Amino acid sequence: MKRKLEIMASVMAMLLVSVAANPSERRNVQRDFSAEDVTAQCDAFISKDAYLGEPVMYTVTLRTNYSRILSIQRVDFPQTQNLSDIGSVSDYNYRLQSDGNGGYLVELTQSYYAPEETGVYNIGSSKYRITYGFAAIANDPFWGPYRTEEPYTIVVNVPAVKGKAKKLPSGAPVNFSGAVGNFTFECNSPELTLRGTGEAEVSFTLEGTGLLDDITVPDIRSSFPENLRLKSITPHSEVVAKDDGSLLSRVVYKCRFTVKEAADCTIAPVEFCYFDTDSRKYVTVSSLPCEVTTKAKPKNPRPGQGQYVDNPIPQTPIKAMTL
């Protein structure tokens, strides 16, 4: 009995010593990598020159030589000057890619801003906390060697960047909307066939690479002929980021109207004037005319026969944007 008590006391002493000791020393960890071998650097990029009203893209990329990343956390957000925040795409959606030279790239953020006024704009420095996982073999005093993972955390600084917002050229047309970028404006129904004098709908889509929040709305109302009574114009807008990183703005104007008399007529083209950042000129685009044909309403309509319903707009592949 006394011998058993001595053995138990010896085991308890070993356990106490084991708990008090440094875990890595206790387990005799053998890592496949060491903290001294890890390199990590954050690069920041911004659109250096942009016209007032043109979106500014800001990206932060992590360069590292070790692929096993357990977590990434932004611990210090940058301060901005002369910029308003539009939204971010890739925060918390990190993808590891090869840099082609044996290292790795991780896009930490892809954000969009808008210059508030002409002159210098900048985005200050920030910080990210990167936690790596080192594959290791630990040697437990009771159970022997086993595989584990040792975390290693570092904080990486992101440098500040700056650019300049340029003033738009003089000589803007009277109908200039204030939009800056590249845009198209289309009538989604070049032809409408109606029956009788009921209610119908036609829609126009304004789409492009600039911002459409503070623009002058296209004059759709004046394009409707006397024979059509325009009841309402309802805009539906969205801002998304495409897979190639470009920003896409879209506004769909849904127009509800009624026919006063059963007679053929035309909804005239609608113009939209913007500043084209590629040609650096003011450009006016217009929608195609919409030919409205009105037929006599049948006395006994078949089930499902009624007014024209506008087809939905074809959607392009896009990814969600955090606003």
Side-chain angles (χ1 to χ4, degrees):
M1 183 65 179
K2 183 178 180 181
R3 179 59 178 168
K4 289 183 179 181
L5 291 174
E6 291 177 354
I7 293 175
M8 291 178 63
S10 177
V11 170
M12 291 296 296
M14 291 177 61
L15 286 173
L16 290 174
V17 172
S18 178
V19 170
N22 184 285
S24 61
E25 294 177 355
R26 171 175 58 85
R27 292 178 296 182
N28 190 24
V29 175
Q30 298 179 359
R31 301 182 182 90
D32 68 336
F33 222 74
S34 65
E36 293 76 14
D37 296 327
V38 174
T39 60
Q41 174 184 332
C42 280
D43 299 323
F45 305 93
I46 195 172
S47 306
K48 295 297 181 182
D49 295 305
Y51 286 100
L52 187 63
E54 183 181 5
V56 173
M57 186 171 70
Y58 170 70
T59 58
V60 176
T61 303
L62 170 68
R63 296 179 179 273
T64 182
N65 64 335
Y66 194 65
S67 62
R68 181 58 176 161
I69 299 177
L70 301 183
S71 65
I72 299 174
Q73 181 183 9
R74 180 184 278 184
V75 294
D76 186 15
F77 286 79
Q79 299 292 323
T80 62
Q81 180 183 7
N82 192 25
L83 291 173
S84 58
D85 189 8
I86 299 175
S88 300
V89 177
S90 56
D91 277 356
Y92 317 112
N93 187 25
Y94 309 113
R95 289 189 304 171
L96 191 71
Q97 300 178 1
S98 172
D99 66 355
N101 298 313
Y104 303 93
L105 299 175
V106 182
E107 186 178 88
L108 301 183
T109 187
Q110 179 180 305
S111 304
Y112 295 91
Y113 297 88
E116 297 176 346
E117 57 185 24
T118 56
V120 176
Y121 55 80
N122 61 64
I123 300 178
S125 60
S126 59
K127 296 179 181 179
Y128 280 87
R129 181 182 292 117
I130 316 296
T131 300
Y132 295 92
F134 295 151
I137 298 178
N139 187 19
D140 191 275
F142 297 101
W143 306 106
Y146 65 94
R147 293 185 179 275
T148 185
E149 193 169 52
E150 290 288 318
Y152 170 67
T153 300
I154 59 174
V155 175
V156 184
N157 295 320
V158 180
V161 290
K162 64 180 180 179
K164 185 178 181 180
K166 300 179 292 185
K167 186 178 181 180
L168 294 177
S170 59
V174 178
N175 64 339
F176 175 50
S177 65
V180 179
N182 296 276
F183 298 91
T184 59
F185 189 59
E186 298 178 352
C187 174
N188 300 320
S189 307
E191 296 181 359
L192 283 178
T193 301
L194 309 178
R195 293 189 178 275
T197 56
E199 186 174 303
E201 178 181 293
V202 65
S203 60
F204 297 84
T205 299
L206 175 60
E207 185 177 274
T209 58
L211 301 176
L212 297 173
D213 293 337
D214 300 321
I215 66 167
T216 302
V217 178
D219 186 12
I220 299 175
R221 184 173 298 275
S222 62
S223 66
F224 276 72
E226 289 292 332
N227 192 41
L228 303 181
R229 180 186 291 114
L230 183 60
K231 298 182 63 177
S232 64
I233 301 177
T234 306
H236 299 271
S237 61
E238 62 177 344
V239 180
V240 297
K242 301 172 67 175
D243 288 335
D244 60 2
S246 61
L247 192 69
L248 179 69
S249 298
R250 179 188 294 127
V251 181
V252 179
Y253 300 95
K254 293 188 175 182
C255 308
R256 300 291 300 180
F257 65 93
T258 57
V259 182
K260 296 180 182 179
E261 297 180 2
D264 297 346
C265 57
T266 301
I267 300 176
V270 183
E271 293 185 344
F272 179 75
C273 180
Y274 67 94
F275 180 76
D276 191 300
T277 53
D278 290 338
S279 63
R280 300 182 181 181
K281 296 180 180 179
Y282 294 96
V283 176
T284 298
V285 293
S286 60
S287 63
L288 293 175
C290 176
E291 303 295 335
V292 180
T293 303
T294 305
K295 296 182 179 181
K297 189 175 182 181
K299 295 182 179 180
N300 297 312
R302 298 187 301 273
Q305 184 177 9
Q307 291 286 27
Y308 175 87
V309 178
D310 194 13
N311 291 326
I313 304 167
Q315 300 293 317
T316 56
I318 57 178
K319 59 181 178 180
M321 181 173 185
T322 304
L323 296 177

